[in-house]
Amino acid sequence: MSRAIERLAEAYGILTSYRDFEGQTARPPEAALRALLKALGVDPDEPNETPKAEALPVHEGPKAPDDVACYLPPFLAKGRAWGISCQVYSLRSDRNWGIGDFEDLPRMGEIAARYGADFLGVNPLNALFLAKPEAASPFSPSDRNYLNPLYIAVDKVEGFDPNSDVDADRLTALRLSDLIDYRAVAKEKLRALRRIHARARAKSPNSEETAFIADGGARLRHYALFEALSLHMAESAYEAGWFSWPEAMQDPDSSEVAEFARSHAEEIDFQCWLQWIAHRQLAAAADRLRRAGMRIGLYLDLAVGTAPDGAATWSDRALTVVGVEIGAPPDMFNLEGQSWGLAPVSPSQIVARDFEP
């Protein structure tokens, strides 16, 4: 191992050794360090390469008192609390559309609360790919800032018409399926939600929705634009993720993407509306659990990273280290180590943005 490569790696925040599960000091091969440096934009073979000033900016951080500690609710200071966890998608009911939703979730919590449960934990609810609903792993989201619209309880959306927005026979078939038919569920839900959205747009704007979208700003618009583009590309025989798209469409700032946004403004508006509905229903679910007597209530899981070809990486290319995946070194359960297929955020960007990401 070249000491120069080690020093360069350390300067860019890359660990050059760690203690493995057998207690031994393990060192990554030089080829791995070189690959990581290149992914961070550093040429390890440049003889005069020195760490760039912007690579890992100095971050003093807040000065915390010595006695700083995690908040502990008073009721836990002298006692304990218990609760349950569930995978929301797996919840069954006689009213949902073949997948658990944001009405099943509080009903489940209300039942648990009657037996003294203080919390209900759930799987990550982050946005996946509407254009590829069968890619259903909650741990590989398109964007962790947003929610999966398939969890929307369509029958609880204001303006829903059971006589025109749904085919009862198709819903019965979805409920009776042994496994979740994600593609069919997405088709039925999106069809109904588009009808509700179209009728809503014929009325006066909703002030709460307007405020939600304004607060979401450019980040929300970029996410909605990605979803609209992803659905369009999937209809044109491309993948839902942006790696396979035409080069012009891979750049969110290209003139071609701007033209697409202009010509598909209604679809982008629909995607923003879906997020408002989803966030509204999830917030209502959390309120119901507290009113049911849960002292902790709903808690959410968060995926470790994002899909490398999803909305988050498309919208903000600088934040992600391209060509690198999150994983784990060998351990007693997997001697080969693991690659999780998730895109890591750039260490220099985390610091440069004051850890906001």
Side-chain angles (χ1 to χ4, degrees):
M1 170 78 74
S2 164
R3 181 54 190 153
I5 293 295
E6 279 193 332
R7 285 198 300 269
L8 191 60
E10 289 166 355
Y12 280 86
I14 302 172
L15 293 180
T16 57
S17 67
Y18 65 95
R19 188 67 58 85
D20 67 16
F21 67 98
E22 293 181 328
Q24 304 299 313
T25 298
R27 298 183 183 278
E30 182 172 326
L33 295 182
R34 287 176 171 274
L36 286 171
L37 285 166
K38 288 180 180 179
L40 292 175
V42 181
D43 183 359
D45 295 314
E46 172 59 47
N48 297 319
E49 179 66 70
T50 57
K52 296 179 177 63
E54 69 274 13
L56 284 176
V58 175
H59 187 276
E60 296 293 339
K63 296 296 188 291
D66 293 336
D67 60 348
V68 68
C70 180
Y71 170 72
L72 183 68
F75 68 83
L76 284 179
K78 297 182 179 180
R80 302 174 67 182
W82 69 273
I84 59 176
S85 62
C86 73
Q87 309 297 319
V88 176
Y89 51 80
S90 69
L91 295 177
R92 297 277 180 158
S93 69
D94 59 4
R95 49 146 297 280
N96 73 32
W97 292 30
I99 186 173
D101 59 28
F102 288 148
E103 175 64 19
D104 294 325
L105 176 61
R107 290 188 183 189
M108 174 76 169
E110 288 164 346
I111 292 171
R114 289 202 294 269
Y115 292 91
D118 275 314
F119 64 83
L120 175 62
V122 298
N123 57 276
L125 304 174
N126 311 129
L128 305 180
F129 293 86
L130 284 178
K132 191 177 181 181
E134 65 273 17
S137 170
F139 297 99
S140 188
S142 175
D143 194 318
R144 296 186 297 175
N145 291 296
Y146 303 104
L147 296 171
N148 184 352
L150 296 188
Y151 288 128
I152 291 174
V154 181
D155 58 323
K156 300 301 178 181
V157 178
E158 182 179 354
F160 169 70
D161 184 348
N163 297 315
S164 64
D165 292 337
V166 63
D167 184 306
D169 291 336
R170 281 201 289 263
L171 289 197
T172 298
L174 290 175
R175 292 190 192 109
L176 294 178
S177 175
D178 289 337
L179 300 176
I180 300 170
D181 187 340
Y182 284 99
R183 185 159 286 277
V185 166
K187 181 179 180 180
E188 293 302 315
K189 286 203 165 190
L190 291 178
R191 176 160 43 198
L193 288 166
R194 288 185 194 282
R195 290 175 178 171
I196 300 170
H197 175 256
R199 291 195 296 269
R201 285 299 172 264
K203 302 177 181 178
S204 299
N206 183 291
S207 59
E208 290 184 12
E209 179 192 354
T210 301
F212 175 85
I213 292 175
D215 186 59
R219 177 182 284 175
L220 174 59
R221 299 295 297 183
H222 268 107
Y223 164 77
L225 172 57
F226 174 89
E227 277 302 307
L229 192 52
S230 176
L231 287 164
H232 176 78
M233 285 295 161
E235 292 173 356
S236 305
Y238 291 97
E239 291 294 324
W242 61 269
F243 286 175
S244 71
W245 298 355
E247 185 175 354
M249 296 305 189
Q250 293 187 21
D251 180 3
D253 297 321
S254 71
S255 59
E256 289 85 351
V257 169
E259 175 56 34
F260 176 89
R262 285 190 291 270
S263 61
H264 292 77
E266 184 176 345
E267 177 65 20
I268 294 170
D269 178 70
F270 173 64
Q271 294 296 333
C272 290
W273 179 80
L274 288 178
Q275 287 304 309
W276 174 62
I277 294 294
H279 280 80
R280 193 181 188 189
Q281 288 194 350
L282 182 59
D287 288 341
R288 283 172 61 177
L289 296 195
R290 287 191 289 269
R291 291 198 304 269
M294 285 189 171
R295 293 180 293 178
I296 297 173
L298 182 65
Y299 81 78
L300 309 181
D301 196 356
L302 182 68
V304 173
T306 61
D309 57 350
T313 60
W314 181 81
S315 303
D316 192 347
R317 204 65 49 83
L319 186 58
T320 306
V321 183
V322 179
V324 179
E325 294 181 357
I326 297 173
D331 58 30
M332 64 183 68
F333 298 105
N334 191 325
L335 297 180
E336 299 298 319
Q338 302 174 45
S339 178
W340 298 342
L342 300 173
V345 290
S346 164
S348 60
Q349 285 294 310
I350 292 175
V351 176
R353 301 185 192 191
D354 200 28
F355 293 87
E356 187 274 337

